[in-house]
Amino acid sequence: FRTSADKLALCHFELVRKLHDLIKEMNRFNEEQIKMHRKTKEEVSGTLEAVQNVQSSVQLLQKCKDNYHSKWLEWDRLKKDGTSQKEIDKAEHKSKKAAESYKASIEKYRTARSDYQQKMAEAAQKFQQVEEIHLRHMKGLIKSYSHSIEDTHVQVGQVHEEFKQNVENIRVHDLIQKYALTKGTGKEK
């Protein structure tokens, strides 16, 4: 019976050792993840600049559009009102300058948007790679944990079966004899 208890203790001790090793591996991987996140953050830092450029170019685009629209409306109004040719030419010149500025802001926006799309795609790809590595490793750790629990369960089952078999094989008479020998009772003096 003591042998069975020792075997059972050994099964549990082995499980604890495996789980301890698994915890060490998780801590090591956590440190690697922290380093990988810092590295990735540095690699994609240009994405923030691209986002800011797109935002500022959108604001500039809207401002130039509004300016062009107001200059064109003013020029059109002056033409319809029959204002002097000098005023109409002056308004037309302002309208053309606003149109050029609007075209330039459109081009700036297109460039900023293209850069933004490229950098966002690259950043998303890097983040996905980091996450895939993380998930693969975590899946491996979970498999290892599951395997350790399963092995221990099988070993405990074997010890239990062995214990049941030992109980079945022992006779009451043998137990009394063993007790008498170990305690020194039941012998003739």
Side-chain angles (χ1 to χ4, degrees):
F1 296 114
R2 182 179 177 136
T3 305
S4 294
D6 289 344
K7 287 181 181 178
L8 191 60
L10 185 62
C11 290
H12 288 120
F13 178 77
E14 189 63 25
L15 176 63
V16 169
R17 187 191 61 75
K18 287 178 182 177
L19 293 178
H20 184 69
D21 290 346
L22 198 58
I23 289 169
K24 281 183 182 177
E25 173 61 21
M26 288 176 74
N27 288 333
R28 185 194 61 76
F29 182 69
N30 184 42
E31 292 297 320
E32 285 179 13
Q33 282 292 103
I34 290 170
K35 290 175 186 174
M36 190 181 299
H37 284 190
R38 284 185 188 141
K39 180 183 172 199
T40 303
K41 185 177 178 181
E42 290 171 8
E43 289 174 354
V44 298
S45 63
T47 306
L48 175 62
E49 185 181 326
V51 169
Q52 291 170 341
N53 286 341
V54 163
Q55 289 172 340
S56 68
S57 67
V58 164
Q59 291 172 348
L60 178 64
L61 181 64
Q62 187 60 45
K63 182 180 173 184
C64 289
K65 178 183 174 184
D66 292 343
N67 186 38
Y68 168 70
H69 187 67
S70 70
K71 298 294 181 189
W72 186 85
L73 286 175
E74 183 180 338
W75 172 69
D76 191 48
R77 183 186 56 80
L78 289 175
K79 272 188 353 184
K80 289 178 183 175
D81 288 348
T83 312
S84 71
Q85 189 60 36
K86 184 177 177 184
E87 290 293 320
I88 292 172
D89 290 345
K90 190 176 177 183
E92 183 181 10
H93 180 70
K94 285 182 181 179
S95 176
K96 285 181 180 178
K97 274 189 167 182
E100 290 171 11
S101 177
Y102 184 36
K103 285 178 185 175
S105 69
I106 289 171
E107 192 53 42
K108 182 178 180 184
Y109 169 74
R110 284 182 183 151
T111 303
R113 185 182 69 188
S114 175
D115 183 48
Y116 164 80
Q117 288 173 338
Q118 178 187 354
K119 288 188 177 179
M120 282 302 283
E122 290 171 2
Q125 185 66 33
K126 286 180 184 179
F127 291 142
Q128 182 173 343
Q129 289 171 350
V130 167
E131 193 60 25
E132 285 175 358
I133 290 168
H134 172 73
L135 291 174
R136 272 191 217 99
H137 194 78
M138 291 308 293
K139 183 179 176 183
L141 291 174
I142 290 169
K143 275 182 157 179
S144 179
Y145 171 78
S146 176
H147 186 68
S148 296
I149 296 294
E150 183 179 17
D151 285 351
T152 301
H153 180 71
V154 168
Q155 291 170 351
V156 167
Q158 290 170 346
V159 169
H160 185 256
E161 285 300 318
E162 184 181 307
F163 178 76
K164 282 180 10 182
Q165 191 63 38
N166 288 340
V167 168
E168 289 295 323
N169 290 340
I170 197 156
R171 299 179 319 184
V172 173
H173 178 66
D174 294 337
L175 288 172
I176 291 173
Q177 287 289 340
K178 187 165 187 147
Y179 181 78
L181 286 173
T182 58
K183 298 296 180 181
T185 62
K187 293 184 181 179
E188 291 183 26
K189 293 187 182 182

